[in-house]
Amino acid sequence: MAPGRHNGRSLDWRFHGRSWKTPNPFNLQIREAALNPDSTRSQNSAVSSEDQNSAAATRAKLDPQFYSKSKSDRSGERGARPVQTVIDLQALGKKIKSKSILTDVTLQISNRVTGLLGPNGAGKSTLIKILLGLVRPSAGTGKLLNHDIRRDKLKIRQLVGYTPEDDCYIDGLTGIEMVQMSGQFFGLPGREALRRAHEVLDFCGIKQERYREISGYSTGMRQQVKFASAIVHNPQFLILDEPTTGLDPEERERLLRRVRFLNRQFDMGVMLSTHILPDVQLVCDDVIVLAEGRVRAHQSLASLQNVNHWRLQIMEVNSSISTLFAQQLRQPGLRIEVAIDGSWELIVENDTRWGKDQVAELVWRTAAASNATITCFSPSQESLEAIFLKAIGGTNHAHS
């Protein structure tokens, strides 16, 4: 690529020896209409009657209650599209001098939305840099979209969209120029890059502000421009590093909704690195927890939060009934603890035999056999914060 020229407000980037074939339609205007029907399109955008009909059809299919559904309700909404491995890492390690930043990281990350969690210095940023080919691993192997992370760095960067945590705009450029230039970096011709830049900015809710210089944007608006620059070339995989920093609650929800929409409707795999646990709870399917450069947990969010505690109270008629009831409840894989308020905690200890139905059946059958009267029987689900703290418990967070 030859150097670009910045003449006033016009950018002219030249590419030599490379042809570009426009990818399959990625009509973000239609999707913006589906997500925000009242949004105003930019003055340079034109939508045909056919596109308007498509937008109406898309809007009709979009479930407005989608984001209020529980995780279990959403699990089957990918339709027939299979879950595929996008990132495959084997015993990956990184050392700087004698200091280990990552140790024996073995992961298979799918084309779903994966949350990357960890305290400061856990190695999250280093892992992302290795995936993008910006840092070379000291040990192990890895593939991203079937491309080797050591040999195919440029190919990987063409297929991946990335939003860094820090600001990365060029002073003096407007929002539309910045996103257009990002498209040209990925090989889009100038006119196509401009068209796509308008589409993704419409999708991100940036209206006339796109014609102002980015240096005058708020933090939230700069985050939206970073996100637009990451998806302008229709990547197959998206890496987001703290994408909701600086966004107000409404903007944060809209951004996460767009992430979920891209994944669900266009099979765009996403890795979301964040410290904001409610973001993970809202949008992620799987969760990876890193601490001290090691993988402490990697499971689906549903399985991490699987119910394995039940609160149980019985009416105290006489001690013999309570004793008999407790004795019959003690089964392999189950543990009973007494809480401060006198209630019992029935805990499943990593035994797959005891699902919700099996535990409920045991409790009611045992109550009938021992003539016990149950006054309270309710499941207790661990919060994501409790799971996170348990996974990193006892670690020292010294890495950068």
Side-chain angles (χ1 to χ4, degrees):
M1 185 184 74
R5 296 175 295 149
H6 184 199
N7 301 322
R9 300 252 56 85
S10 174
L11 285 174
D12 183 16
W13 294 85
R14 303 294 184 185
F15 290 80
H16 298 291
R18 176 173 180 178
S19 62
W20 175 267
K21 182 178 180 181
T22 302
N24 292 333
F26 189 56
N27 198 326
L28 293 172
Q29 289 177 329
I30 291 178
R31 278 177 282 166
E32 172 61 13
L35 291 170
N36 187 6
D38 297 326
S39 65
T40 303
R41 293 182 174 85
S42 69
Q43 61 184 18
N44 292 341
S45 300
V47 182
S48 67
S49 59
E50 181 180 352
D51 282 347
Q52 292 173 354
N53 292 335
S54 299
T58 304
R59 192 180 308 124
K61 294 178 182 177
L62 192 64
D63 180 2
Q65 301 301 320
F66 178 84
Y67 295 95
S68 63
K69 293 183 180 180
S70 68
K71 187 68 66 173
S72 60
D73 292 335
R74 287 189 252 157
S75 59
E77 295 196 23
R78 292 184 61 86
R81 288 175 293 179
V83 176
Q84 299 173 336
T85 298
V86 175
I87 299 174
D88 185 7
L89 305 179
Q90 299 295 327
L92 202 69
K94 177 61 183 177
K95 282 188 175 182
I96 298 179
K97 296 182 180 179
S98 61
K99 183 178 180 180
S100 293
I101 307 300
L102 292 174
T103 305
D104 195 26
V105 174
T106 298
L107 291 169
Q108 286 76 44
I109 300 173
S110 72
N111 55 342
R112 306 202 299 176
V113 182
T114 300
L116 181 61
L117 300 176
N120 289 332
K124 302 187 301 297
S125 296
T126 302
L127 177 59
I128 290 173
K129 290 174 183 177
I130 289 175
L131 292 176
L132 294 172
L134 302 176
V135 170
R136 188 175 181 84
S138 305
T141 61
K143 288 187 176 182
L144 197 163
L145 295 167
N146 292 321
H147 294 284
D148 188 274
I149 59 173
R150 295 175 184 267
R151 297 194 306 266
D152 304 328
K153 294 180 287 187
L154 292 180
K155 184 63 177 178
I156 287 173
R157 290 177 203 167
Q158 289 176 343
L159 300 174
V160 173
Y162 172 54
T163 64
E165 180 180 4
D166 299 323
D167 281 338
C168 55
Y169 63 89
I170 298 176
D171 194 30
L173 295 187
T174 64
I176 186 64
E177 289 172 340
M178 187 69 202
V179 180
Q180 179 191 12
M181 187 177 69
S182 297
Q184 290 178 286
F185 282 153
F186 288 104
L188 286 167
R191 182 172 295 180
E192 175 67 8
L194 179 61
R195 183 187 71 81
R196 299 271 302 181
H198 279 295
E199 286 184 346
V200 294
L201 287 172
D202 283 338
F203 179 59
C204 293
I206 302 293
K207 300 181 177 65
Q208 299 305 313
E209 300 89 350
R210 71 189 65 183
Y211 303 109
R212 288 167 35 200
E213 290 190 4
I214 301 177
S215 56
Y217 283 8
S218 65
T219 301
M221 287 178 63
R222 288 200 294 269
Q223 290 286 68
Q224 299 286 10
V225 170
K226 280 197 295 184
F227 184 73
S229 298
I231 64 174
V232 67
H233 62 297
N234 187 15
Q236 295 182 33
F237 193 76
L238 195 56
I239 298 177
L240 307 176
D241 194 356
E242 301 290 350
T244 57
T245 300
L247 299 182
D248 62 41
E250 186 176 358
E251 289 175 329
R252 168 181 158 268
E253 183 179 352
R254 286 178 178 172
L255 178 65
L256 295 175
R257 187 179 300 174
R258 292 178 186 115
V259 170
R260 170 66 68 174
F261 193 81
L262 292 173
N263 176 256
R264 283 297 188 262
Q265 300 299 322
F266 294 89
D267 225 16
M268 187 183 294
V270 181
M271 176 188 283
L272 175 66
S273 176
T274 182
H275 289 90
I276 306 175
L277 296 182
D279 288 359
V280 176
Q281 187 82 45
L282 181 64
V283 77
C284 290
D285 301 298
D286 303 315
V287 175
I288 298 169
V289 180
L290 283 180
E292 291 191 326
R294 295 180 180 271
V295 178
R296 302 293 183 180
H298 182 202
Q299 290 179 260
S300 70
L301 187 59
S303 62
L304 274 176
Q305 294 189 296
N306 190 32
V307 174
N308 60 0
H309 285 64
W310 282 263
R311 182 170 177 267
L312 183 62
Q313 282 184 324
I314 66 170
M315 184 181 294
E316 288 285 350
V317 178
N318 59 65
S319 59
S320 62
I321 291 179
S322 299
T323 302
L324 180 61
F325 183 61
Q327 288 175 347
Q328 294 181 354
L329 272 182
R330 288 188 173 93
Q331 302 287 333
L334 291 179
R335 187 175 82 250
I336 298 176
E337 294 181 354
V338 180
I340 297 176
D341 61 0
S343 64
W344 294 351
E345 288 283 339
L346 189 60
I347 302 170
V348 177
E349 296 181 315
N350 299 321
D351 194 322
T352 56
R353 294 176 298 173
W354 297 108
K356 294 180 183 179
D357 294 339
Q358 288 75 21
V359 171
E361 181 183 355
L362 173 67
V363 168
W364 294 117
R365 188 176 67 245
T366 304
S370 60
N371 292 318
T373 302
I374 296 175
T375 59
C376 176
F377 178 47
S378 60
S380 175
Q381 188 179 55
E382 276 192 296
S383 68
L384 184 59
E385 182 179 7
I387 294 169
F388 173 72
L389 292 175
K390 184 185 298 183
I392 68 170
T395 62
N396 298 317
H397 320 313
H399 301 155
S400 61

